Amino acid sequence: MKIPFLDLKAGYLELQPEIDAAIKRVLESGWYILGEEVDSFEREYATYCEARYCVGVANGLDALHLALLAMGVGAGDEVIVPSNTYIATWLAVSQCGATPVPVEPDAATYNIDPARIEAAITPRTKVILPVHLYGQPADMDPILAIARKHGLKVLEDGAQAHGARYKGKRIGAHGDVVAWSFYPGKNLGAYGDGGAITTNDTGIAERICVLRNYGSRVKYVNDVRGFNSRLDPIHAAALRVKLKALDAWNARRSEIASCYQIGLAHTGLTLPFVPEWAEPAWHLYVVQHQQRDILQTQLGEVGIGTLIHYPIPPHLQQAYAAACLIQGQFPIAEKIANQCLSLPIGPHLDKFGVSTVIAACRKMV
């Protein structure tokens, strides 16, 4: 039996009548850029995230980039980022002409360590950019307190945290802006690239609306040098259907995570740690093992799909060679990159699949 890391087709088949009808509705409307379908999704997702505004854009990287621009980040500025994250978090900062300043994670949660942030702040710091990595909320209260103390903005990267809660409140508007990705593999995924921001700040929402549409509020009247980054109506229509299933799918992910936590206890694996104030979305279930590559090969040989999120931390990528960040400079991020392994946790993984993964891991570690 083969167990894929994530079965995207199963999600479509579960919702096929509704998704097909939604896409047909868009095709029959004759309106294929922005419009009512995108407007409706933006309203519905803002409500879901407990935020005042949602603005749909073309992808998660654009969501980060445009949010930073809307907060006034530019050349010469610095943005505090996690050393342990997907490179898109850093790339968005670089696209603004600013410098990403890495801060190590809490080794237990994998998220940026608030206790290390203040030492990284300089007169050029403009924004703190925590990531809710793997679907687990970052510890926002101390991050927000530091930001207020130093007069900084906070942009949250929520690309993996659709539906997660921090101290009972959904991720969506704790900081100034939250950037989202609707990449197909996300908990709330489109059928192609898509993204959005949520915020309670009217000015930021309006600026992103302008920036995503060539810098224009009125057609052929361009107020600023903008971008072409708009959420497609077909994706918005599908996302509206999937949004109704998101809580149920997240609950299934949580059940699988609980089974793993029990079934993989007292093995050679380091299991995820969840603070009492966090309700993860369980986008990923990430374990650590000193012989990760051997374990991944062994699991693959018995048909169990796994992935590594992420094998090379941003500071060691060739893309940031000019920053002169050397190996050993961020040892916690490097250890995670060398030892982490993501097990299957998609909402359509059945009980037999879960027990098969547990049994195989216990046998091998």
Side-chain angles (χ1 to χ4, degrees):
M1 177 183 178
K2 290 191 177 296
I3 299 174
F5 177 73
L6 178 64
D7 187 350
L8 290 178
K9 184 177 179 181
Y12 167 65
L13 292 177
E14 178 182 337
L15 303 174
Q16 183 175 3
E18 296 96 328
I19 289 173
D20 287 355
I23 292 173
K24 184 172 183 285
R25 181 176 69 243
V26 176
L27 295 176
E28 290 180 345
S29 74
W31 194 284
Y32 307 130
I33 298 291
L34 296 177
E36 180 54 37
E37 205 68 54
V38 174
D39 291 345
S40 294
F41 171 72
E42 290 173 339
R43 288 193 297 270
E44 291 160 11
Y45 194 60
T47 298
Y48 178 85
C49 292
E50 302 174 18
R52 291 180 64 189
Y53 305 105
C54 170
V55 181
V57 296
N59 54 68
L61 176 55
D62 282 0
L64 289 165
H65 178 212
L66 298 185
L68 288 167
L69 290 176
M71 290 189 287
V73 173
D77 293 330
E78 293 178 350
V79 175
I80 292 176
V81 297
S83 60
N84 180 47
T85 186
Y86 182 54
I87 198 170
T89 312
W90 289 40
L91 291 175
V93 177
S94 300
Q95 287 179 352
C96 296
T99 301
V101 177
V103 169
E104 286 271 72
D106 179 315
T109 67
Y110 303 122
N111 280 322
I112 193 168
D113 185 348
R116 298 173 183 264
I117 290 176
E118 204 154 14
I121 294 173
T122 76
R124 293 187 292 174
T125 305
K126 202 77 169 279
V127 172
I128 303 173
L129 207 173
V131 178
H132 303 300
L133 197 64
Y134 312 147
Q136 175 148 287
D139 194 358
M140 292 304 300
D141 282 353
I143 293 172
L144 292 168
I146 293 167
R148 285 192 293 269
K149 177 181 175 181
H150 293 274
L152 306 175
K153 297 285 189 181
V154 175
L155 167 60
E156 304 166 63
D157 185 337
Q160 301 181 356
H162 311 80
R165 293 179 184 271
Y166 175 73
K167 297 187 177 180
K169 180 182 177 182
R170 283 201 203 275
I171 298 300
H174 287 87
D176 296 281
V177 192
V178 184
W180 302 94
S181 168
F182 303 127
Y183 181 78
K186 304 298 186 185
N187 290 37
L188 181 62
Y191 293 106
D193 277 317
I197 65 92
T198 53
T199 183
N200 287 335
D201 189 308
T202 304
I204 288 177
E206 290 178 349
R207 286 194 289 276
I208 293 173
C209 280
V210 173
L211 286 168
R212 73 172 176 180
N213 191 39
Y214 295 99
S216 174
R217 290 182 174 85
V218 178
K219 194 169 185 177
Y220 303 133
V221 178
N222 303 86
D223 301 323
V224 296
R225 298 176 185 179
F227 304 84
N228 177 12
S229 181
R230 302 172 295 207
L231 181 65
D232 289 334
I234 288 177
H235 292 325
L239 289 167
R240 293 180 68 194
V241 174
K242 286 189 169 187
L243 182 58
K244 296 174 184 177
L246 179 57
D247 284 345
W249 285 1
N250 281 352
R252 177 58 182 148
R253 288 176 181 269
S254 183
E255 291 172 5
I256 295 169
S258 295
C259 290
Y260 282 158
Q261 293 288 85
I262 295 169
L264 297 176
H266 311 298
T267 66
L269 298 173
T270 300
L271 304 183
F273 168 74
V274 181
E276 53 86 20
W277 42 256
E279 295 178 46
W282 291 111
H283 174 62
L284 299 174
Y285 187 88
V286 179
V287 299
Q288 287 192 65
H289 192 264
Q290 290 184 347
Q291 295 181 306
R292 184 268 315 281
D293 293 343
I294 294 174
L295 175 59
Q296 184 180 40
T297 298
Q298 291 175 332
L299 290 172
E301 287 172 348
V302 296
I304 296 173
T306 60
L307 289 175
I308 298 171
H309 297 87
Y310 302 95
I312 305 174
H315 71 280
L316 297 181
Q317 294 281 4
Q318 182 61 33
Y320 283 96
C324 298
L325 301 170
I326 61 173
Q327 189 163 358
Q329 193 167 351
F330 299 98
I332 301 175
E334 291 173 25
K335 179 184 177 184
I336 294 168
N338 290 331
Q339 297 189 6
C340 69
L341 186 66
S342 300
L343 302 180
I345 197 174
H348 298 91
L349 179 64
D350 60 23
K351 292 182 179 179
F352 179 75
V354 175
S355 62
T356 300
V357 173
I358 292 172
C361 286
R362 292 193 67 87
K363 182 178 180 180
M364 294 168 188
V365 300

